[in-house]
Amino acid sequence: DSLEAMPHGLFQKMLAAKNYQSGLATMRQVEFALFDMLLHSQTDNALEPLALLADIRKDTAVLPVPAYSRTPHSFSHIFAGGYAAGYYSYKWAEVLSADCYAAFEEVAPQGEEALKAIGKRYLEEILQRGGSRPAIDSFAAFRGRAPQIDALMRHSAMNS
């Protein structure tokens, strides 16, 4: 049996399906993260969560939300899931992941030896270090710089 390469047209269709509405999904994550952060940083006991979320949606919502929506009532991540003021970490993890992957993309044209070298650096600076130092320091040791959003934007087809 011989393997055939996937037709380029089919690959492009699959890529478009993967990235369909990625901007909308990103804004929804931003909405959730802002709501979580602002809600958990409030000291006002009279805070109205629905009013806070409505305020946030003025800047983040791409599509109108029905008046009957009660998103906070079922947002268990930030109330029962241990994410209090930490929901932003979902998107932050995507930034870090895409930026790390981009390191491999950048050296791929140089061949197998370059890929092995970047893989070794990833192993040594991130995986083997584990929690022995702050994760941001491990990232900077691997990439040689602070995280950048460019790769996530490109991988999500939001860079144009």
Side-chain angles (χ1 to χ4, degrees), residues 100-124 142:
C100 284
Y101 187 80
F104 291 86
E105 292 175 316
E106 291 161 10
V107 301
Q110 300 168 26
E112 191 174 330
E113 289 305 311
L115 283 168
K116 284 181 182 179
I118 200 75
K120 184 173 189 267
R121 194 161 85 222
Y122 182 78
L123 174 68
E124 293 170 350
F142 171 62

Side-chain angles (χ1 to χ4, degrees), residues 57-78:
R57 285 178 171 156
K58 290 176 188 172
D59 294 328
T60 61
V62 177
L63 300 173
V65 178
Y68 59 79
S69 173
R70 296 293 183 262
T71 301
H73 295 90
S74 61
F75 199 0
S76 61
H77 276 70
I78 66 171

Side-chain angles (χ1 to χ4, degrees), residues 71-93:
T71 301
H73 295 90
S74 61
F75 199 0
S76 61
H77 276 70
I78 66 171
F79 296 114
Y83 280 88
Y87 190 83
Y88 71 91
S89 63
Y90 276 109
K91 191 52 68 180
W92 184 237

